[in-house]
Amino acid sequence: MTDRYASFAHSGAGRFFVKRLGLPDPPRLRRYRPGDPVLAGPVVIGGTGRLNAPISKIIETLPKPSESDRNAALIFDATAIADSGGLRSLYDFFHPVIRTLASSGRVIVLGSPPELCASAREATAQRALEGFVRSVAKEVGHGTTAQLVYVAPGAEDAVESTLRFLLSGRSAYVSGQVVRIGPASVDLPDDWEQPLVGKTAIVTGAARGIGAAIAEVLTRDGAHVVCLDVPAAGEELTRVANDLKGTALQLDLTADDAPRRLADFIATRHVHADVFVHNAGITRDKTLGRMDEGQWQSVLDVNLTSQERINDVLLAENLLGGNGRIVTVSSVSGIAGNRGQTNYATSKAGVIGIVESSAAAVAARGLTLNAVAPGFIETKMTAAMPMFIREAGRRMNSMSQGGLPVDVAETIAWLANPASGGVSGNVIRVCGQSLLGA
């Protein structure tokens, strides 16, 4: 659905009224297009920690952008900060250069996980980085994003895929996030434009909306995609799969035999899957006192229980290849809650619980498990919302606009990348830094 307010705000007359009246000013976001360089301009790197050298080396290998008089990114290695006094180095680096950022610029701060720090003072200082980054993300404006990346000791060589994602237009609607990277075997792709060549990905709920966008982006990145959805969506599902030269699989994930049928399909047709994306989800919104049992149970069955049942069979029967990826779609509602969505928020918080409770065990098998939590995304579902609720959802974030299905898909593609082996146990919000639950 078209965001008419944003279209007006970008017009000549609209810009006059937006500035004069102090109205929300949604920027034009720099989103990725095939062939775009990772960087849109120069990068300034600061800090003297253990990540400065590897980060500088990665930046040197990236295609050089066209000449620009504005900086595209500011990167600060904060891993050397060992106490609260050292936090002054953040001010000393960013104060002179923060206003040199171009529109849709990038701010990245790299730190050490507080739980792995050598002293309480160091852990305190590293934890303080979260407040700094989230505040910067709300200050910079003009489509600029800011992120904090905690890199565990020994994971210095596992940061490239994350750095490429956060610097590029692929992360246009991701801001104010904390990413954790641990030591892992990293499989760098021969071609960063198509890192999933030769891989098989399965996407549930792929017939429309966010699921269709995920299937499209994973296909673009080289994967053969199995598009899965309920039989009732068969016509749309077939159209999506045919357009992508993928495979359509009609399956009701809540059926008693669904895990068995899915396992047999994978083993027979593909031996194993390399990427499994749990995207299927439904809403049945009612306040708790007006919600009937069926509305409660159907949402929990589709959004949460089906994922647990599928994961059980994937892991028990080794149906994910080495360096495999499981990515699940949660929601900001699962973090902040939402009126009229006790069933939905419960299910989406449970999805986060899957990641938190199972990521370590999955990692021990050489796999990764992460979640994305979309905020307000422009889909048919959000287009059907009452106007004032829809407008509030669009404006209550640092970008003053809704995201697009491709924003969720690009984030999932980063997590699915073979080079993202150190990124596991994360919940990444794709919400333009929503004010809800922030």
Side-chain angles (χ1 to χ4, degrees), residues 209-294:
I210 291 173
I214 296 167
E216 181 178 355
V217 168
L218 295 183
T219 300
R220 180 204 68 192
D221 284 2
H224 174 84
V225 178
V226 177
C227 303
L228 187 156
D229 217 313
V230 293
E235 185 175 340
E236 291 175 289
L237 181 69
T238 299
R239 183 166 55 250
V240 170
N242 288 345
D243 288 346
L244 301 177
K245 296 181 172 58
T247 302
L249 175 60
Q250 297 183 27
L251 183 64
D252 180 354
L253 296 175
T254 65
D256 291 342
D257 64 346
R260 179 73 268 144
R261 290 174 59 192
L262 178 60
D264 291 344
F265 172 87
I266 295 172
T268 302
R269 296 285 297 272
H270 300 283
V271 182
H272 65 256
D274 300 286
V275 179
F276 199 100
V277 182
H278 291 287
N279 168 72
I282 62 172
T283 58
R284 298 290 185 268
D285 294 354
K286 289 282 186 180
T287 55
L288 186 58
R290 297 178 181 274
M291 184 183 299
D292 64 40
E293 181 181 353

Side-chain angles (χ1 to χ4, degrees), residues 4 70 266 276 333 371 414:
R4 294 181 179 178
R70 306 285 290 181
I266 295 172
F276 199 100
S333 293
W414 154 55

Side-chain angles (χ1 to χ4, degrees), residues 29-46:
L29 302 182
R30 175 174 68 98
R31 288 188 169 92
Y32 171 76
R33 295 172 299 180
D36 282 356
V38 173
L39 296 170
V43 178
V44 181
I45 301 175

Side-chain angles (χ1 to χ4, degrees), residues 3-16 18 24-26 28:
D3 184 343
R4 294 181 179 178
Y5 174 81
S7 298
F8 170 74
H10 293 155
S11 68
R15 295 208 61 77
F16 172 80
V18 164
D25 187 7
R28 297 183 187 273

Side-chain angles (χ1 to χ4, degrees), residues 369-395:
L369 172 60
N370 296 282
V372 297
F376 186 96
I377 304 297
E378 301 282 357
T379 63
K380 289 183 179 179
M381 182 179 73
T382 54
M385 290 178 173
M387 182 184 69
F388 290 111
I389 295 176
R390 185 172 64 244
E391 284 303 301
R394 284 171 169 161
R395 311 305 161 207

Side-chain angles (χ1 to χ4, degrees), residues 48 62 209 292 404 424:
T48 57
L62 297 178
D292 64 40
L404 301 179
S424 193

